[in-house]
PDB file of all heavy atoms in Angstrom:
ATOM      1  N   LEU A 262      12.628 -86.167 146.075  1.00 98.00           N
ATOM      2  CA  LEU A 262      12.449 -87.208 145.064  1.00 98.00           C
ATOM      3  C   LEU A 262      12.323 -88.535 145.810  1.00 98.00           C
ATOM      4  O   LEU A 262      13.230 -88.922 146.550  1.00 98.00           O
ATOM      5  CB  LEU A 262      13.660 -87.250 144.114  1.00 98.00           C
ATOM      6  CG  LEU A 262      13.785 -88.491 143.231  1.00 98.00           C
ATOM      7  CD1 LEU A 262      12.577 -88.650 142.318  1.00 98.00           C
ATOM      8  CD2 LEU A 262      15.076 -88.427 142.402  1.00 98.00           C
ATOM      9  N   PHE A 263      11.166 -89.202 145.651  1.00 99.00           N
ATOM     10  CA  PHE A 263      10.956 -90.491 146.317  1.00 99.00           C
ATOM     11  C   PHE A 263      11.308 -91.626 145.370  1.00 99.00           C
ATOM     12  O   PHE A 263      10.739 -91.749 144.286  1.00 99.00           O
ATOM     13  CB  PHE A 263       9.491 -90.635 146.752  1.00 99.00           C
ATOM     14  CG  PHE A 263       9.145 -89.782 147.933  1.00 99.00           C
ATOM     15  CD1 PHE A 263       8.670 -88.494 147.765  1.00 99.00           C
ATOM     16  CD2 PHE A 263       9.326 -90.271 149.222  1.00 99.00           C
ATOM     17  CE1 PHE A 263       8.368 -87.703 148.862  1.00 99.00           C
ATOM     18  CE2 PHE A 263       9.028 -89.488 150.329  1.00 99.00           C
ATOM     19  CZ  PHE A 263       8.545 -88.193 150.146  1.00 99.00           C
ATOM     20  N   LEU A 264      12.262 -92.456 145.804  1.00 98.00           N
ATOM     21  CA  LEU A 264      12.599 -93.668 145.073  1.00 98.00           C
ATOM     22  C   LEU A 264      12.396 -94.827 146.024  1.00 98.00           C
ATOM     23  O   LEU A 264      12.855 -94.784 147.172  1.00 98.00           O
ATOM     24  CB  LEU A 264      14.066 -93.647 144.625  1.00 98.00           C
ATOM     25  CG  LEU A 264      14.486 -92.542 143.658  1.00 98.00           C
ATOM     26  CD1 LEU A 264      16.001 -92.624 143.431  1.00 98.00           C
ATOM     27  CD2 LEU A 264      13.737 -92.665 142.327  1.00 98.00           C
ATOM     28  N   CYS A 265      11.705 -95.848 145.592  1.00 98.00           N
ATOM     29  CA  CYS A 265      11.452 -97.003 146.448  1.00 98.00           C
ATOM     30  C   CYS A 265      12.184 -98.183 145.829  1.00 98.00           C
ATOM     31  O   CYS A 265      11.911 -98.555 144.688  1.00 98.00           O
ATOM     32  CB  CYS A 265       9.937 -97.236 146.485  1.00 98.00           C
ATOM     33  SG  CYS A 265       9.430 -98.576 147.538  1.00 98.00           S
ATOM     34  N   SER A 266      13.147 -98.754 146.557  1.00 98.00           N
ATOM     35  CA  SER A 266      13.984 -99.807 145.982  1.00 98.00           C
ATOM     36  C   SER A 266      14.359-100.828 147.057  1.00 98.00           C
ATOM     37  O   SER A 266      15.022-100.454 148.019  1.00 98.00           O
ATOM     38  CB  SER A 266      15.249 -99.176 145.372  1.00 98.00           C
ATOM     39  OG  SER A 266      16.096-100.145 144.819  1.00 98.00           O
ATOM     40  N   PRO A 267      13.944-102.093 146.918  1.00 98.00           N
ATOM     41  CA  PRO A 267      13.061-102.642 145.898  1.00 98.00           C
ATOM     42  C   PRO A 267      11.714-101.910 145.878  1.00 98.00           C
ATOM     43  O   PRO A 267      11.211-101.538 146.929  1.00 98.00           O
ATOM     44  CB  PRO A 267      12.870-104.101 146.321  1.00 98.00           C
ATOM     45  CG  PRO A 267      14.040-104.419 147.208  1.00 98.00           C
ATOM     46  CD  PRO A 267      14.409-103.136 147.870  1.00 98.00           C
ATOM     47  N   ASN A 268      11.180-101.756 144.651  1.00 98.00           N
ATOM     48  CA  ASN A 268       9.975-100.942 144.504  1.00 98.00           C
ATOM     49  C   ASN A 268       8.712-101.755 144.816  1.00 98.00           C
ATOM     50  O   ASN A 268       8.575-102.900 144.421  1.00 98.00           O
ATOM     51  CB  ASN A 268       9.900-100.403 143.068  1.00 98.00           C
ATOM     52  CG  ASN A 268       8.773 -99.408 142.875  1.00 98.00           C
ATOM     53  OD1 ASN A 268       8.494 -98.595 143.760  1.00 98.00           O
ATOM     54  ND2 ASN A 268       8.113 -99.460 141.733  1.00 98.00           N
ATOM     55  N   ASN A 269       7.805-101.110 145.525  1.00 98.00           N
ATOM     56  CA  ASN A 269       6.461-101.652 145.744  1.00 98.00           C
ATOM     57  C   ASN A 269       5.540-100.926 144.768  1.00 98.00           C
ATOM     58  O   ASN A 269       5.501 -99.703 144.799  1.00 98.00           O
ATOM     59  CB  ASN A 269       6.060-101.353 147.200  1.00 98.00           C
ATOM     60  CG  ASN A 269       4.648-101.792 147.528  1.00 98.00           C
ATOM     61  OD1 ASN A 269       3.971-102.414 146.722  1.00 98.00           O
ATOM     62  ND2 ASN A 269       4.192-101.451 148.725  1.00 98.00           N
ATOM     63  N   PRO A 270       4.818-101.589 143.858  1.00 98.00           N
ATOM     64  CA  PRO A 270       4.492-103.018 143.834  1.00 98.00           C
ATOM     65  C   PRO A 270       5.294-103.861 142.844  1.00 98.00           C
ATOM     66  O   PRO A 270       5.008-105.051 142.719  1.00 98.00           O
ATOM     67  CB  PRO A 270       3.030-102.975 143.357  1.00 98.00           C
ATOM     68  CG  PRO A 270       3.011-101.843 142.367  1.00 98.00           C
ATOM     69  CD  PRO A 270       3.991-100.822 142.903  1.00 98.00           C
ATOM     70  N   SER A 271       6.284-103.275 142.119  1.00 98.00           N
ATOM     71  CA  SER A 271       6.911-104.069 141.052  1.00 98.00           C
ATOM     72  C   SER A 271       7.932-105.070 141.594  1.00 98.00           C
ATOM     73  O   SER A 271       8.210-106.075 140.941  1.00 98.00           O
ATOM     74  CB  SER A 271       7.544-103.147 140.001  1.00 98.00           C
ATOM     75  OG  SER A 271       8.396-102.201 140.602  1.00 98.00           O
ATOM     76  N   GLY A 272       8.529-104.791 142.750  1.00 98.00           N
ATOM     77  CA  GLY A 272       9.419-105.760 143.396  1.00 98.00           C
ATOM     78  C   GLY A 272      10.885-105.644 143.020  1.00 98.00           C
ATOM     79  O   GLY A 272      11.725-106.308 143.622  1.00 98.00           O
ATOM     80  N   ASN A 273      11.207-104.822 142.011  1.00 98.00           N
ATOM     81  CA  ASN A 273      12.596-104.776 141.551  1.00 98.00           C
ATOM     82  C   ASN A 273      13.446-103.754 142.302  1.00 98.00           C
ATOM     83  O   ASN A 273      12.978-102.711 142.731  1.00 98.00           O
ATOM     84  CB  ASN A 273      12.651-104.481 140.040  1.00 98.00           C
ATOM     85  CG  ASN A 273      11.870-103.231 139.655  1.00 98.00           C
ATOM     86  OD1 ASN A 273      10.813-102.950 140.199  1.00 98.00           O
ATOM     87  ND2 ASN A 273      12.406-102.468 138.722  1.00 98.00           N
ATOM     88  N   LEU A 274      14.726-104.106 142.411  1.00 98.00           N
ATOM     89  CA  LEU A 274      15.743-103.222 142.987  1.00 98.00           C
ATOM     90  C   LEU A 274      16.320-102.404 141.831  1.00 98.00           C
ATOM     91  O   LEU A 274      16.613-102.952 140.776  1.00 98.00           O
ATOM     92  CB  LEU A 274      16.827-104.114 143.600  1.00 98.00           C
ATOM     93  CG  LEU A 274      17.921-103.554 144.469  1.00 98.00           C
ATOM     94  CD1 LEU A 274      17.362-103.143 145.827  1.00 98.00           C
ATOM     95  CD2 LEU A 274      19.001-104.624 144.698  1.00 98.00           C
ATOM     96  N   PHE A 275      16.491-101.105 142.031  1.00 98.00           N
ATOM     97  CA  PHE A 275      17.055-100.300 140.939  1.00 98.00           C
ATOM     98  C   PHE A 275      18.580-100.374 140.986  1.00 98.00           C
ATOM     99  O   PHE A 275      19.164-100.499 142.063  1.00 98.00           O
ATOM    100  CB  PHE A 275      16.578 -98.850 141.051  1.00 98.00           C
ATOM    101  CG  PHE A 275      15.092 -98.713 140.890  1.00 98.00           C
ATOM    102  CD1 PHE A 275      14.316 -98.170 141.905  1.00 98.00           C
ATOM    103  CD2 PHE A 275      14.458 -99.157 139.737  1.00 98.00           C
ATOM    104  CE1 PHE A 275      12.935 -98.061 141.766  1.00 98.00           C
ATOM    105  CE2 PHE A 275      13.080 -99.062 139.586  1.00 98.00           C
ATOM    106  CZ  PHE A 275      12.312 -98.512 140.607  1.00 98.00           C
TER     107      PHE A 275
END
Side-chain angles (χ1 to χ4, degrees):
L262 165 60
F263 287 90
L264 298 175
C265 182
S266 179
N268 187 38
N269 177 5
S271 52
N273 53 322
L274 190 72
F275 296 120

